[in-house]
């Protein structure tokens, strides 16, 4: 199981447009990815390809989230996803 931490950079947090962009990127991957707040238990992690899950996570600007994935290419996939989360998608 690969794991990466990311700090949410979007000014409004992981809501609406940033959640949509991130969920679309996860949905293109051939592996399952979960996301959870750093302080939450592993079993509370949610499906990272679901916009509803991302929005209900309540990750605000500056919050640290944990991404987890398993399978071939998981490390590379998580690195790419971290870059998305650590970009202010509201500024683009």
């Amino acid at each position: 199981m690969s794991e990466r931490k990311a700090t949410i950079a979007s000014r409004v947090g992981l809501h609406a447009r940033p959640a949509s962009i991130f969920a679309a990127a996860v949905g293109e991957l051939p592996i399952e990815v979960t996301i959870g707040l750093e302080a939450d238990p592993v079993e509370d992690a949610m499906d990272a390809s679901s916009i509803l899950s991302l929005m209900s996570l309540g990750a605000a600007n500056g919050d640290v989230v944990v991404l987890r994935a398993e399978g071939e290419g998981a490390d590379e996939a998580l690195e790419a996803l971290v870059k998305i989360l650590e970009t202010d998608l509201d500024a683009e």
Side-chain angles (χ1 to χ4, degrees), residues 1-68:
M1 174 84 54
S2 296
E3 180 179 304
R4 296 287 184 285
K5 292 182 183 179
T7 302
I8 303 298
S10 290
R11 288 173 283 180
V12 297
L14 198 51
H15 297 285
R17 184 170 182 266
S20 175
I21 292 168
F22 183 75
V26 173
E28 293 176 4
L29 298 172
I31 56 175
E32 289 186 21
V33 179
T34 63
I35 187 170
L37 293 172
E38 183 179 37
D40 290 350
V42 174
E43 55 271 7
D44 288 351
M46 301 179 184
D47 177 4
S49 67
S50 165
I51 294 174
L52 291 176
S53 291
L54 294 173
M55 293 179 70
S56 68
L57 184 64
N61 176 272
D63 284 352
V64 176
V65 295
V66 180
L67 302 173
R68 294 180 183 87

Side-chain angles (χ1 to χ4, degrees), residues 68-90:
R68 294 180 183 87
E70 199 167 357
E72 189 173 334
D75 289 328
E76 296 82 6
L78 292 182
E79 287 299 326
L81 294 173
V82 164
K83 288 179 185 175
I84 293 171
L85 293 176
E86 292 188 340
T87 299
D88 184 358
L89 299 172
D90 297 310

